[in-house]
Amino acid sequence: MKTQCKAVVIGGGIAGCSTLYHLTQEGWTDVVLVERNELTSGTTWHSAAQVTNFGMTQTMVGLKSHSIALYKELAEDTDYPINYHYADGGIRLANTEAQMDGYRQFASMARGMGVEFEVIDAAECARRHPLISTDNLLGGLWDPLDGDIDPAQLCQALARRSRKAGAEVYRDTPVTGLTQKRDDSWIVHTENGDISCEVVVNAGGYRVNEVGAMMGVQHPVTSMEHQYFLTEEIPAIRDADHRMPLLRCPISDYYCRQEKQGLLVGFYEQSCKTWGMDGIDPNFVNALCPDDLDRVTDVLEGAFARMPALMETGIHTVVNGPITYTIDGAPLVGPIPGKRNAYCIIGLRAGVGEGGGHGWLLAQQIVHGEACYDTWVIDPRRFTGHATVELTALKAIEDYQNEFRFHFPHEHRPAGRPMKTTPLTPVLAAEGASFAVVNGWERLDYIKPTADFQETHGFRFNETFDVIAGEVATVQNAVGLTEVNGFNRIELTGRDVHDFLDRMICGHVTRKTGRVGLGYLLNHHGCLKSEATIANLPDGSVWYGSAAASEFHDRDWLISHIRDEEDVRIKTLTNDWTILVLAGPKSRDVLSAVSRDDWSKEAFPWLRVRPTTIGIAPAMVMSVSFSGELAYEIQVPNAHLYAAYLALRQAGEAHGMRLFGTRAVESMRMEKGYLHWKADILTEFDPYETGLERFVKLNKGDFIGRTELIARKEAEERKKRVILRIDARNAPAHAGASVMQNGFVVGTVTSGDWGHRVGANLAYAFVDRSVLSNSDGLTVDILGTAFAAVLETTPLYDPDNLLVRS
């Protein structure tokens, strides 16, 4: 066994085998996989092994497309073919118009990735799958490339190719410990000896937290028991002249696919069970949980109703085994928070079907720093300190119970809530607040007009439309107040802080005390990494502020780039302070009523920061705006938050102040051309493509990504972010919707909403550069209908920023 190599992958299931193989494809051949038993001896061997192209985001569609292409290539390898039922086709059923709208949206989204789905009616569903009933059925989504694969053969094929490329696989080699050395390299201790390596990868399957504990990490991953059974022969399948398509049924919570001349039928029952939370038997290898078909009786009845042939056949085999889940159902693939040179590929509940793509994207991150797609939807750092074992279990149960029911826009499910709150959460609830969840925080979404107000979730405009319009009108004409909790706040101190930030940010970094600036951080490919507000406080410290979800992401990025000789110290303030936003033309009047300082335009202009007192509460005030109106961000220590809120509420009564929420902010920022991190600010694009060239200063000296950015600037830009005004009043353009011209996809929407101040349906999209010179015939596919779109060259609301400076 080697004692030194480039990387060690821990775990021999689909996650580990795929990572090992793709590392060799990216040029790292001095790599090793260690497995405590045999390959696939954890969850992989008993996987239902469905291989679908369906994904909730374009990144997921892209990685699944890679899996399908890779598996097809492996199956066609004459030297080592594997069993892969490619392109049997599959149907996701629906019995509500809201679900059908979701399928139309997903078809539009996938088209931008070169994947074609088809939305079909109930009769066509039955024609393509003659075993199903059309009772209580509206239609479905057809995936022409759906299929299934032999999981053991797949992993052996990947391991074989890895070995041929130079990698080594050590079976029966349990890992007993992990030690990180001072240079951030690792020693992997095993029962068969130690291996020193630069990079370690946790691909531990349901033993993920046993491996995590060796490096002092608790991953938000838990396992659920999952049952399926194999039927005896079904005559209709035996006599058919084609393989039956796969079926996924959110109506009755089951799925099925052909297995020999019968069916494999799996269940997502409501009375589901977690597994292994109190530890896993070391001898649980190639093993299963006890059968418990009584638990799935209700689901089975629905399956019988949808597929009567099931009542006429027997059960051949029952399988009940653990599968892993995360808090939001998506895997954790990427850097491990708080660790250097450590990665994970875990929580793959549909591991075999999409594992080829996950390993592909992870290998790119390890070798090149970034993948070809923005991978935030699977990034382990998207969960922060709130990701406890208990929360993970509650969300895993909820997700399991809703396996085939996708999240609707603005839908925040109840399990594990509230997790993160401030002293104002119950106060706002008493005011009628409806809350959204942002990185675990309960954040004000909108104020319900009546106590019994209920929102109908879907992809179209709903009952909240007029509610949001009213909140926007208050901010535009008077003054509004909202709480923004969880905003990522890092305090930077030390003599080299500004030099450090100048190296991290691609544009001008203000050094003047009391000034606030916006900056963008690039990765080593010259593309966008983060967006940050930089505030120079009077005491000499600097506040770095960014999106709530970026807390671990930005912290790790900053810490990893502090040089040994630099005097830069970092302290996280995220959980200690909360922002109260005061916005609208009368916001200065309200602020002046609660503070003795001079808040005139001359004394406190745009982009300034100063300490003050709000009533009796200490605070730090910044004159910045995300609404496009005159606004102030009032940063308050949580211990004083309620006092500041009371003072502002009392002072606001004389000026018609009302509460507003994130939905109103979303509408207003669209009108102003303001961007959201990881919606419109993506690692796939540079500042020029994103329309942020005014924040780039190439002549200021060196900064991270500068050389690569210059090369990208000199090359022909691939895409350009634009603003679109769409001729549609029924629904917004959702992220991923395809922008079309002359029958071809020319772009993809990143954000969309109704602009209440300008009375227009707006969207941001990255489009081909040819659209800039000729936008004739431009349309956006919204829920299956092509709506005309007009290219706007400037933001529609106050493009000269007169209001924020007023």
Side-chain angles (χ1 to χ4, degrees), residues 720-727 739-744 746-747 765 767-780 787-793:
K720 190 71 174 181
R721 184 191 60 83
V722 297
I723 303 173
L724 300 175
R725 179 162 45 86
I726 307 169
D727 185 20
V739 182
M740 309 288 291
Q741 189 178 47
N742 300 323
F744 295 96
V746 294
V767 300
D768 296 343
R769 291 193 60 81
S770 60
V771 174
L772 303 182
S773 57
N774 178 19
S775 60
D776 294 345
L778 209 61
T779 63
V780 177
F787 290 94
V790 175
L791 194 68
E792 298 289 349
T793 56

Side-chain angles (χ1 to χ4, degrees), residues 284-526:
F284 191 88
V285 176
N286 281 317
L288 294 171
C289 309
D291 301 346
D292 190 3
L293 287 183
D294 289 343
R295 202 169 73 223
V296 302
T297 300
D298 56 336
V299 184
L300 189 57
E301 290 175 355
F304 285 160
R306 179 65 58 202
M307 194 174 289
L310 287 175
M311 293 185 285
E312 301 171 4
T313 188
I315 296 175
H316 180 275
T317 305
V318 178
V319 174
N320 184 18
I323 57 176
T324 55
Y325 276 77
T326 66
I327 290 177
D328 63 359
L332 302 177
V333 180
I336 296 175
K339 297 294 178 182
R340 300 268 191 97
N341 299 331
Y343 297 81
C344 59
I345 176 167
I346 54 179
L348 277 62
R349 67 177 181 184
V352 171
E354 58 196 37
H358 287 307
W360 173 56
L361 294 182
L362 180 60
Q364 292 177 51
Q365 293 179 70
I366 293 171
V367 176
H368 308 296
E370 298 283 0
C372 57
Y373 304 140
D374 189 298
T375 57
W376 182 246
V377 294
I378 55 175
D379 195 300
R381 296 164 296 186
R382 70 186 188 273
F383 303 125
T384 56
H386 66 289
T388 63
V389 173
E390 289 73 16
L391 177 65
T392 304
L394 287 173
K395 298 304 288 186
I397 291 169
E398 182 181 62
D399 207 53
Y400 186 96
Q401 292 170 333
N402 292 278
E403 176 68 24
F404 299 130
R405 301 183 190 94
F406 44 77
H407 281 263
F408 290 112
H410 305 298
E411 179 189 10
H412 300 276
R413 291 174 179 167
R417 296 179 62 187
M419 187 64 193
K420 292 182 183 178
T421 60
T422 74
L424 291 188
T425 305
V427 177
L428 296 173
E431 296 259 19
S434 177
F435 293 99
V437 180
V438 180
N439 192 29
W441 291 92
E442 295 289 331
R443 184 175 291 180
L444 174 58
D445 204 20
Y446 62 89
I447 297 295
K448 294 180 284 188
T450 61
D452 58 353
F453 180 83
Q454 293 290 327
E455 177 179 5
T456 304
H457 291 293
F459 287 84
R460 301 173 186 265
F461 293 126
N462 61 18
E463 304 91 340
T464 64
F465 187 89
D466 291 337
V467 175
I468 307 308
E471 293 183 6
V472 171
T474 296
V475 175
Q476 181 182 17
N477 300 313
V479 58
L481 178 67
T482 194
E483 178 192 52
V484 180
N485 50 23
F487 189 73
N488 183 38
R489 184 180 290 97
I490 297 173
E491 181 184 68
L492 302 171
T493 56
R495 68 173 182 273
D496 298 319
V497 163
H498 286 100
D499 289 340
F500 168 69
L501 288 173
D502 207 42
R503 195 176 74 252
M504 299 298 295
I505 292 173
C506 66
H508 173 67
V509 177
T510 181
R511 296 171 182 251
K512 293 181 179 179
T513 300
R515 296 294 182 92
V516 178
L518 185 64
Y520 291 88
L521 292 74
L522 308 184
N523 59 29
H524 295 285
H525 301 278

Side-chain angles (χ1 to χ4, degrees), residues 615-678:
I616 59 173
M620 192 72 65
V621 177
M622 297 184 193
S623 52
V624 296
S625 175
F626 202 54
S627 63
E629 305 290 347
L630 174 67
Y632 302 95
E633 289 188 358
I634 304 169
Q635 328 258 339
V636 186
N638 283 341
H640 303 281
L641 186 62
Y642 184 47
Y645 174 81
L646 287 178
L648 290 167
R649 286 291 273 162
Q650 183 177 359
E653 288 180 3
H655 302 282
M657 186 169 74
R658 289 177 54 194
L659 297 174
F660 68 99
T662 59
R663 299 268 192 105
V665 174
E666 184 70 9
S667 169
M668 292 185 284
R669 72 101 180 174
M670 292 294 301
E671 298 169 307
K672 279 294 297 172
Y674 296 155
L675 310 183
H676 263 171
W677 184 71
K678 292 307 178 189

